[in-house]
Amino acid sequence: MLINGYTRRLIQLALDEDIGTGDLTAGAFESFKSQATFNFIAKENCIICGTKVAQEVYFMLDHEVKVEFSVNDGDRITERRIIGQVTGPASSILTGERTSLNFLQRLSGVATNTAKYVEALGDSNIKILDTRKTTPGWRRIEKYAVKTGGGWNHRIGLFDGVMLKDNHVDAAGSITGAVKNVRRFIPTTVKVEVETRNLKEVEEAVQAGADIIMLDNFDIPTIEEAVKIIDKRAKVEVSGGVTLEFLRLLRNVDVDYVSIGALTHQATGVDISLKMRG
């Protein structure tokens, strides 16, 4: 994972939120200047993600603290495995403990959750996409975690892709009108995606020249019918209430993408702890 200005600002916000004017607990140990080593321990099976962020937390907090991981982002980890260590002043390690673990647990949770959906598709060529249903401020690193888990990124935000959803269509009066209006204001290289709610809207989206047609909350038979209507004239994306069982049924249907908000907004943090060695 690339550590850049965005990531550092996020880390600094997290440290400021936790430490405030000072760590009252760990501060009591600072005068001892004792050196210690702590282990990161994965307490459940998972796909690890966020090691670089956890390292950067301590680098920004205290340059005397050294963090080394024996695993890489994307590695599958079995429970009770030591995945890394932190060495340095005990007071600094204790101060950064929760912030480093918060990033590591959350991002590993997103990666692990994503992998479950990817695996449900077996050897299908369908790509699992994330959405904008992310933790405010965490979007870029959560989308990194999705990629770590084997998924693909949809648009980052409103600035790098066009998606005409139901409210856009209703505001414009029709899919045709919405597509026509938006194409006036965007570069010709930007693709236009249209969300559809029924087969009639699918037909209209094709005629309007949509590049990607989203089938929102369609069942499998209706998806198959929509694919016939589209007939390769646009990419096909399935979305809305997608479950692992639904993906298993979708494996052999000729669609291109499945977008799943649950990759991020329903991910549960992985149980990882930091324990003093010895």
Side-chain angles (χ1 to χ4, degrees):
M1 180 179 188
L2 177 66
I3 299 297
N4 52 26
Y6 161 83
T7 313
R8 292 190 182 96
R9 288 195 300 272
L10 187 59
I11 292 170
Q12 191 61 59
L13 282 171
L15 288 171
D16 291 346
E17 176 183 59
D18 204 31
I19 299 170
T21 57
D23 183 350
L24 296 178
T25 307
F29 296 88
E30 190 171 1
S31 61
F32 294 99
K33 297 294 182 182
S34 58
Q35 297 289 304
T37 298
F38 289 70
N39 289 331
F40 282 107
I41 304 172
K43 299 171 74 174
E44 60 180 298
N45 297 340
C46 66
I47 292 180
I48 206 71
C49 183
T51 55
K52 298 297 184 185
V53 183
Q55 285 178 321
E56 190 67 16
V57 167
Y58 278 113
F59 179 79
M60 292 174 62
L61 183 65
D62 184 346
H63 287 190
E64 291 186 35
V65 176
K66 305 301 179 186
V67 182
E68 294 182 343
F69 281 94
S70 57
V71 298
N72 298 309
D73 286 359
D75 287 352
R76 290 181 178 272
I77 307 301
T78 54
E79 62 178 322
R80 295 294 172 184
R81 177 174 171 182
I82 295 174
I83 60 174
Q85 68 176 32
V86 188
T87 303
S91 59
S92 295
I93 294 173
L94 293 169
T95 295
E97 175 183 359
R98 177 42 51 201
T99 300
S100 64
L101 284 175
N102 281 349
F103 282 109
L104 196 58
Q105 290 175 313
R106 172 65 182 164
L107 296 178
S108 296
V110 172
T112 303
N113 189 46
T114 299
K116 294 177 183 177
Y117 286 90
V118 173
E119 290 161 5
L121 282 173
D123 58 0
S124 170
N125 291 323
I126 299 172
K127 292 180 178 179
I128 296 290
L129 304 179
D130 54 25
T131 71
R132 288 163 51 237
K133 295 177 181 177
T134 53
T135 307
W138 282 55
R139 181 169 298 166
R140 291 180 186 272
I141 62 172
E142 287 186 349
K143 281 179 173 283
Y144 165 76
V146 166
K147 291 180 69 175
T148 301
W152 295 74
N153 295 152
H154 210 298
R155 57 180 179 166
I156 298 295
L158 299 174
F159 57 88
D160 66 335
V162 171
M163 181 186 292
L164 296 169
K165 298 180 72 66
D166 53 356
N167 286 332
H168 297 108
V169 171
D170 292 342
S174 67
I175 288 175
T176 303
V179 172
K180 183 178 180 180
N181 287 341
V182 79
R183 286 210 187 274
R184 293 182 194 168
F185 297 98
I186 63 172
T188 56
T189 54
V190 175
K191 295 186 182 299
V192 174
E193 179 168 359
V194 176
E195 179 184 88
T196 60
R197 295 165 282 191
N198 52 58
L199 293 176
K200 182 180 178 181
E201 289 191 344
V202 170
E203 292 177 354
E204 185 180 357
V206 171
Q207 295 304 317
D211 300 297
I212 306 169
I213 298 175
M214 177 190 287
L215 311 178
D216 187 43
N217 285 293
F218 284 35
D219 58 23
I220 296 294
T222 312
I223 291 171
E224 292 174 331
E225 186 61 32
V227 168
K228 292 178 183 177
I229 292 170
I230 296 168
D231 193 27
K232 302 292 185 181
R233 289 176 287 179
K235 295 289 187 180
V236 182
E237 178 179 331
V238 172
S239 188
V242 176
T243 63
L244 295 174
E245 182 55 35
F246 184 87
L247 283 176
R248 295 183 185 103
L249 298 174
L250 193 65
R251 284 178 181 175
N252 298 317
V253 181
D254 191 16
V255 303
D256 300 286
Y257 313 113
V258 182
S259 54
I260 306 172
L263 300 184
T264 50
H265 75 69
Q266 290 187 15
T268 302
V270 167
D271 191 359
I272 301 173
S273 64
L274 187 66
K275 295 296 183 183
M276 188 172 179
R277 184 179 295 178

